[in-house]
Amino acid sequence: METPRSNSVFALAALEHIDALYSYAMTLTRDKSEAEDLVQETYLRAVRAANQPATAGNLKAWLFVVMRNAWLNIARHKQHGLRLFQFEGAEPVDGVANDASSNPHVVYLRKLERQQIHDAIDTLPDAYREIVVLRDLEGFSYHEIATVLNCPAGTVMSRLGRARGKLREVLSQRQKVHRLYG
């Protein structure tokens, strides 16, 4: 049986992933209030299940599984479908600042580029959007994504390949339009 001290250690370890969980919740719900509720529900479920063997592995991946399952349960109980992915206030994907970041023109161009990428991701079908976010924005391995989505790793790889191909098409077409009318 877990002691109160070990439960508090687990709770603190789970809190280290709160920002990533919130980003994923925004990806799933597209609503700030619903995302906050989903993070809270995930955290409560995780703390209740902290002494289960599944928590011994990759805690972040396990928390994402708990969140996705909670979201799927909520979605099943709603009459209307939920939309995926909103990138409000998104930070640079690489998170790296350099000397050029102080140049307002460079900052503007990077912000514009990020917005175009996020808009392109938003055009993808649900299964592709979710997999792109898990791999390219959250940095999960193929195996971890397979665990989160409860599908084979081969399916993850093929969906990701198709999703990236569609992203390239969308971004290429938008670039062509921008050159013509830009």
Side-chain angles (χ1 to χ4, degrees):
M1 181 164 181
E2 295 289 310
T3 65
R5 178 166 164 68
S6 62
N7 278 343
S8 65
V9 169
F10 173 82
L12 287 174
L15 274 177
E16 290 179 18
H17 303 291
I18 199 89
D19 290 337
L21 286 170
Y22 179 75
S23 291
Y24 187 50
M26 283 298 294
T27 292
L28 295 172
T29 65
R30 301 190 89 180
D31 179 84
K32 183 179 177 184
S33 178
E34 287 182 27
E36 290 168 352
D37 290 345
L38 184 56
V39 169
Q40 182 177 5
E41 177 66 21
T42 300
Y43 188 73
L44 290 172
R45 287 180 183 203
V47 170
R48 279 189 229 126
N51 59 357
Q52 292 182 3
T55 63
N58 182 334
L59 179 60
K60 183 179 178 183
W62 181 77
L63 289 168
F64 272 63
V65 170
V66 171
M67 176 173 281
R68 188 166 193 273
N69 288 339
W71 176 72
L72 288 171
N73 286 337
I74 292 167
R76 279 187 207 112
H77 294 294
K78 290 188 174 187
Q79 291 293 335
H80 56 82
L82 296 176
R83 292 173 47 199
L84 290 178
F85 296 92
Q86 182 167 335
F87 296 94
E88 290 182 10
E91 293 299 315
V93 173
D94 60 8
V96 176
N98 60 32
D99 296 334
S101 66
S102 61
N103 179 331
H105 182 69
V106 171
V107 171
Y108 170 75
L109 290 177
R110 286 185 180 160
K111 182 178 179 180
L112 185 62
E113 183 180 77
R114 278 193 311 275
Q115 186 60 49
Q116 289 171 345
I117 291 169
H118 293 226
D119 289 347
I121 290 171
D122 202 34
T123 67
L124 294 173
D126 294 348
Y128 291 170
R129 281 185 279 192
E130 187 172 18
I131 215 158
V132 165
V133 167
L134 290 173
R135 177 67 180 167
D136 296 332
L137 300 181
E138 291 300 328
F140 281 111
S141 70
Y142 296 122
H143 178 71
E144 291 168 333
I145 296 169
T147 300
V148 170
L149 300 180
N150 194 26
C151 68
T155 301
V156 169
M157 289 185 272
S158 64
R159 282 184 192 166
L160 185 60
R162 287 192 297 268
R164 287 176 174 165
K166 287 188 179 290
L167 276 176
R168 279 190 291 275
E169 287 175 22
V170 169
L171 290 169
S172 176
Q173 289 195 359
R174 288 182 181 194
Q175 196 172 38
K176 288 176 187 174
V177 168
H178 179 71
R179 284 185 191 142
L180 289 174
Y181 301 106

PDB file of all heavy atoms in Angstrom, residues 2 38 54 63 74 120 122 124 142-143 148 158-159 174:
ATOM      1  N   GLU A   2       0.472   2.259  -0.743  1.00  0.00           N
ATOM      2  CA  GLU A   2       1.240   3.487  -0.849  1.00  0.00           C
ATOM      3  C   GLU A   2       1.085   4.335   0.404  1.00  0.00           C
ATOM      4  O   GLU A   2       0.007   4.420   0.976  1.00  0.00           O
ATOM      5  CB  GLU A   2       0.774   4.310  -2.063  1.00  0.00           C
ATOM      6  CG  GLU A   2       1.023   3.636  -3.388  1.00  0.00           C
ATOM      7  CD  GLU A   2       2.484   3.594  -3.741  1.00  0.00           C
ATOM      8  OE1 GLU A   2       3.128   4.642  -3.669  1.00  0.00           O
ATOM      9  OE2 GLU A   2       2.996   2.507  -4.045  1.00  0.00           O
ATOM     10  N   LEU A  38     -10.387  19.064 -18.224  1.00  0.00           N
ATOM     11  CA  LEU A  38      -9.804  17.791 -18.623  1.00  0.00           C
ATOM     12  C   LEU A  38      -8.470  17.549 -17.911  1.00  0.00           C
ATOM     13  O   LEU A  38      -8.196  16.434 -17.469  1.00  0.00           O
ATOM     14  CB  LEU A  38      -9.626  17.743 -20.142  1.00  0.00           C
ATOM     15  CG  LEU A  38      -9.111  16.428 -20.723  1.00  0.00           C
ATOM     16  CD1 LEU A  38      -9.995  15.247 -20.321  1.00  0.00           C
ATOM     17  CD2 LEU A  38      -9.025  16.542 -22.244  1.00  0.00           C
ATOM     18  N   ALA A  54       1.159   0.356 -13.915  1.00  0.00           N
ATOM     19  CA  ALA A  54       1.314   1.092 -15.179  1.00  0.00           C
ATOM     20  C   ALA A  54       2.062   2.402 -14.989  1.00  0.00           C
ATOM     21  O   ALA A  54       2.643   2.933 -15.927  1.00  0.00           O
ATOM     22  CB  ALA A  54      -0.047   1.363 -15.803  1.00  0.00           C
ATOM     23  N   LEU A  63       0.289   9.506 -18.414  1.00  0.00           N
ATOM     24  CA  LEU A  63      -0.644  10.609 -18.161  1.00  0.00           C
ATOM     25  C   LEU A  63      -1.414  10.978 -19.431  1.00  0.00           C
ATOM     26  O   LEU A  63      -2.613  11.280 -19.376  1.00  0.00           O
ATOM     27  CB  LEU A  63       0.099  11.831 -17.612  1.00  0.00           C
ATOM     28  CG  LEU A  63       0.624  11.693 -16.194  1.00  0.00           C
ATOM     29  CD1 LEU A  63       1.589  12.840 -15.864  1.00  0.00           C
ATOM     30  CD2 LEU A  63      -0.521  11.666 -15.185  1.00  0.00           C
ATOM     31  N   ILE A  74     -15.699  11.476 -22.123  1.00  0.00           N
ATOM     32  CA  ILE A  74     -16.501  12.707 -22.166  1.00  0.00           C
ATOM     33  C   ILE A  74     -17.135  12.863 -23.553  1.00  0.00           C
ATOM     34  O   ILE A  74     -18.325  13.180 -23.672  1.00  0.00           O
ATOM     35  CB  ILE A  74     -15.630  13.934 -21.810  1.00  0.00           C
ATOM     36  CG1 ILE A  74     -15.210  13.880 -20.343  1.00  0.00           C
ATOM     37  CG2 ILE A  74     -16.367  15.233 -22.119  1.00  0.00           C
ATOM     38  CD1 ILE A  74     -14.104  14.858 -19.968  1.00  0.00           C
ATOM     39  N   ALA A 120      -2.229  24.910 -40.978  1.00  0.00           N
ATOM     40  CA  ALA A 120      -2.158  23.730 -41.843  1.00  0.00           C
ATOM     41  C   ALA A 120      -2.466  22.462 -41.045  1.00  0.00           C
ATOM     42  O   ALA A 120      -3.190  21.585 -41.523  1.00  0.00           O
ATOM     43  CB  ALA A 120      -0.775  23.632 -42.491  1.00  0.00           C
ATOM     44  N   ASP A 122      -4.350  22.293 -38.518  1.00  0.00           N
ATOM     45  CA  ASP A 122      -5.783  22.343 -38.218  1.00  0.00           C
ATOM     46  C   ASP A 122      -6.639  21.827 -39.369  1.00  0.00           C
ATOM     47  O   ASP A 122      -7.775  21.431 -39.160  1.00  0.00           O
ATOM     48  CB  ASP A 122      -6.176  23.771 -37.851  1.00  0.00           C
ATOM     49  CG  ASP A 122      -7.450  23.841 -37.042  1.00  0.00           C
ATOM     50  OD1 ASP A 122      -7.695  22.913 -36.238  1.00  0.00           O
ATOM     51  OD2 ASP A 122      -8.203  24.813 -37.214  1.00  0.00           O
ATOM     52  N   LEU A 124      -5.944  19.152 -41.122  1.00  0.00           N
ATOM     53  CA  LEU A 124      -5.809  17.698 -41.214  1.00  0.00           C
ATOM     54  C   LEU A 124      -7.005  16.985 -40.599  1.00  0.00           C
ATOM     55  O   LEU A 124      -7.612  17.490 -39.659  1.00  0.00           O
ATOM     56  CB  LEU A 124      -4.538  17.236 -40.493  1.00  0.00           C
ATOM     57  CG  LEU A 124      -3.204  17.677 -41.066  1.00  0.00           C
ATOM     58  CD1 LEU A 124      -2.072  17.263 -40.137  1.00  0.00           C
ATOM     59  CD2 LEU A 124      -3.003  17.112 -42.457  1.00  0.00           C
ATOM     60  N   TYR A 142       7.324   6.614 -31.344  1.00  0.00           N
ATOM     61  CA  TYR A 142       6.269   5.864 -32.028  1.00  0.00           C
ATOM     62  C   TYR A 142       5.591   4.898 -31.056  1.00  0.00           C
ATOM     63  O   TYR A 142       4.375   4.750 -31.065  1.00  0.00           O
ATOM     64  CB  TYR A 142       6.822   5.095 -33.224  1.00  0.00           C
ATOM     65  CG  TYR A 142       7.364   5.979 -34.319  1.00  0.00           C
ATOM     66  CD1 TYR A 142       8.682   5.865 -34.738  1.00  0.00           C
ATOM     67  CD2 TYR A 142       6.557   6.929 -34.937  1.00  0.00           C
ATOM     68  CE1 TYR A 142       9.182   6.676 -35.748  1.00  0.00           C
ATOM     69  CE2 TYR A 142       7.049   7.742 -35.943  1.00  0.00           C
ATOM     70  CZ  TYR A 142       8.367   7.612 -36.340  1.00  0.00           C
ATOM     71  OH  TYR A 142       8.836   8.416 -37.330  1.00  0.00           O
ATOM     72  N   HIS A 143       6.390   4.235 -30.250  1.00  0.00           N
ATOM     73  CA  HIS A 143       5.843   3.273 -29.285  1.00  0.00           C
ATOM     74  C   HIS A 143       4.941   3.979 -28.269  1.00  0.00           C
ATOM     75  O   HIS A 143       3.859   3.477 -27.931  1.00  0.00           O
ATOM     76  CB  HIS A 143       6.978   2.537 -28.577  1.00  0.00           C
ATOM     77  CG  HIS A 143       6.494   1.580 -27.536  1.00  0.00           C
ATOM     78  ND1 HIS A 143       5.854   0.402 -27.850  1.00  0.00           N
ATOM     79  CD2 HIS A 143       6.528   1.644 -26.188  1.00  0.00           C
ATOM     80  CE1 HIS A 143       5.520  -0.215 -26.738  1.00  0.00           C
ATOM     81  NE2 HIS A 143       5.922   0.507 -25.713  1.00  0.00           N
ATOM     82  N   VAL A 148      -0.567   5.554 -26.367  1.00  0.00           N
ATOM     83  CA  VAL A 148      -1.578   6.595 -26.130  1.00  0.00           C
ATOM     84  C   VAL A 148      -2.815   6.353 -26.989  1.00  0.00           C
ATOM     85  O   VAL A 148      -3.947   6.445 -26.513  1.00  0.00           O
ATOM     86  CB  VAL A 148      -1.001   8.006 -26.398  1.00  0.00           C
ATOM     87  CG1 VAL A 148      -2.095   9.063 -26.393  1.00  0.00           C
ATOM     88  CG2 VAL A 148       0.072   8.359 -25.368  1.00  0.00           C
ATOM     89  N   SER A 158       2.645   4.951 -40.334  1.00  0.00           N
ATOM     90  CA  SER A 158       2.001   5.212 -41.621  1.00  0.00           C
ATOM     91  C   SER A 158       1.105   6.446 -41.561  1.00  0.00           C
ATOM     92  O   SER A 158       1.102   7.258 -42.485  1.00  0.00           O
ATOM     93  CB  SER A 158       1.226   3.992 -42.109  1.00  0.00           C
ATOM     94  OG  SER A 158       0.172   3.673 -41.241  1.00  0.00           O
ATOM     95  N   ARG A 159       0.362   6.614 -40.466  1.00  0.00           N
ATOM     96  CA  ARG A 159      -0.478   7.809 -40.333  1.00  0.00           C
ATOM     97  C   ARG A 159       0.372   9.072 -40.284  1.00  0.00           C
ATOM     98  O   ARG A 159       0.025  10.092 -40.878  1.00  0.00           O
ATOM     99  CB  ARG A 159      -1.326   7.742 -39.064  1.00  0.00           C
ATOM    100  CG  ARG A 159      -2.528   6.868 -39.162  1.00  0.00           C
ATOM    101  CD  ARG A 159      -3.344   6.940 -37.897  1.00  0.00           C
ATOM    102  NE  ARG A 159      -4.344   5.903 -37.857  1.00  0.00           N
ATOM    103  CZ  ARG A 159      -5.007   5.556 -36.774  1.00  0.00           C
ATOM    104  NH1 ARG A 159      -4.789   6.179 -35.633  1.00  0.00           N
ATOM    105  NH2 ARG A 159      -5.903   4.594 -36.823  1.00  0.00           N
ATOM    106  N   ARG A 174      -0.302  26.923 -50.019  1.00  0.00           N
ATOM    107  CA  ARG A 174      -0.438  28.250 -49.396  1.00  0.00           C
ATOM    108  C   ARG A 174       0.718  29.156 -49.789  1.00  0.00           C
ATOM    109  O   ARG A 174       0.532  30.353 -49.969  1.00  0.00           O
ATOM    110  CB  ARG A 174      -0.523  28.125 -47.881  1.00  0.00           C
ATOM    111  CG  ARG A 174      -1.838  27.545 -47.428  1.00  0.00           C
ATOM    112  CD  ARG A 174      -1.940  27.467 -45.936  1.00  0.00           C
ATOM    113  NE  ARG A 174      -3.208  26.884 -45.573  1.00  0.00           N
ATOM    114  CZ  ARG A 174      -3.727  26.911 -44.395  1.00  0.00           C
ATOM    115  NH1 ARG A 174      -3.072  27.486 -43.402  1.00  0.00           N
ATOM    116  NH2 ARG A 174      -4.893  26.363 -44.133  1.00  0.00           N
TER     117      ARG A 174
END
